[in-house]
Amino acid sequence: MTQPLIRFQDVTKRYGHLTVLDNFCFDVIPGEKVTLIGPSGSGKSTVLRILMTLEPFQEGTLHLAGMSYHQDNGRGRFLASEAHLRQIRTHVGMVFQSFNLFPHMTVLRNVVEAPTRVLGLGRAEAECRAVELLRMVGLSEKKDHYPSQLSGGQQQRVAIARALAMRPRVLLFDEPTSALDPQLVGEVLGVIRDLAHEHDLTMLLVTHEMRFAREVSDRVCFFDKGRICEQGKPEEIFSTPRQERTKEFLGSIL
């Protein structure tokens, strides 16, 4: 059996009295492409934010590539040190809904900044890598432009290149097309599709693009009320779902 790259064990996440993840268990093996679907507020994006160390959680354990998000000093569990969390972050890249590019930096510098500051790459090596990634996402000719000079779809493709520049083992996509005009969605999905089919990255996607999820996923997980209610291969979930709640959700959006 392949050891999981990601392992959530009985993770509970609360905001005050609201439980967003409820004793959540979830494994992802290296190279797997997993899409998380479900209604808004069901916990999908919270899973990604916890993995990216953007959100703490109250109970349970989480490991990424054997590294725990918590430490134990013998007197009880506590969140890992900032230095340890920074080490975890070097293995994870995340593409957000709203691009989050630095507006005062050129496209090239947006992609170069983190590898030079965080990974310690030399400027020449980082720029060479950035140009290759921009070529991969179809934007090498835009390297000297600023984000305000790009369309939303182009900005999101730069964000994907920026995430890849950190050479992550896991790439997270949190509804990467939800902020785009409909005519720009296809260009971003095309880049993600190529990544899924041509690279050995482990990928977790939260998306409402069901046809796309069916194309790129090894596994689809349907979330409801902080738990995975049903999961399986895309053809199983989309063609013959077993749970009534899954059928209701898919029937409402397909």
Side-chain angles (χ1 to χ4, degrees), residues 44-86:
K44 310 180 301 297
S45 293
T46 302
V47 169
L48 303 193
R49 293 181 63 82
I50 287 174
L51 272 170
M52 196 64 197
T53 75
L54 298 175
E55 297 279 359
F57 54 97
Q58 287 77 30
E59 297 171 18
T61 60
L62 172 59
H63 290 82
L64 172 71
M67 297 181 292
S68 175
Y69 282 55
H70 282 84
Q71 295 171 329
D72 193 328
N73 61 3
R75 299 186 300 275
R77 193 188 72 147
F78 62 97
L79 193 65
S81 67
E82 181 57 33
H84 183 72
L85 293 177
R86 280 199 301 270

Side-chain angles (χ1 to χ4, degrees), residues 95-101 155-156 159 162 174-176 178-179:
V95 179
F96 299 86
Q97 299 178 32
S98 54
F99 323 140
N100 290 358
L101 300 178
Q155 289 185 60
Q156 193 62 295
R162 182 180 61 180
D174 188 10
E175 300 192 23
S178 64

Side-chain angles (χ1 to χ4, degrees), residues 103-115:
H104 62 289
M105 296 183 183
T106 64
V107 164
L108 182 64
R109 191 175 167 199
N110 262 283
V111 180
V112 163
E113 192 72 6

Side-chain angles (χ1 to χ4, degrees), residues 122-139:
R123 176 67 60 169
E125 181 183 357
E127 287 191 359
C128 182
R129 169 75 172 159
V131 169
E132 174 59 24
L133 289 170
L134 290 171
R135 184 199 62 76
M136 183 189 301
V137 300
L139 289 173

Side-chain angles (χ1 to χ4, degrees), residues 185-204:
V185 168
E187 65 185 65
V188 173
L189 293 183
V191 169
I192 300 172
R193 185 183 293 109
D194 290 345
L195 285 174
H197 290 161
E198 298 173 13
H199 297 270
D200 196 30
L201 276 169
T202 304
M203 295 169 60
L204 268 66

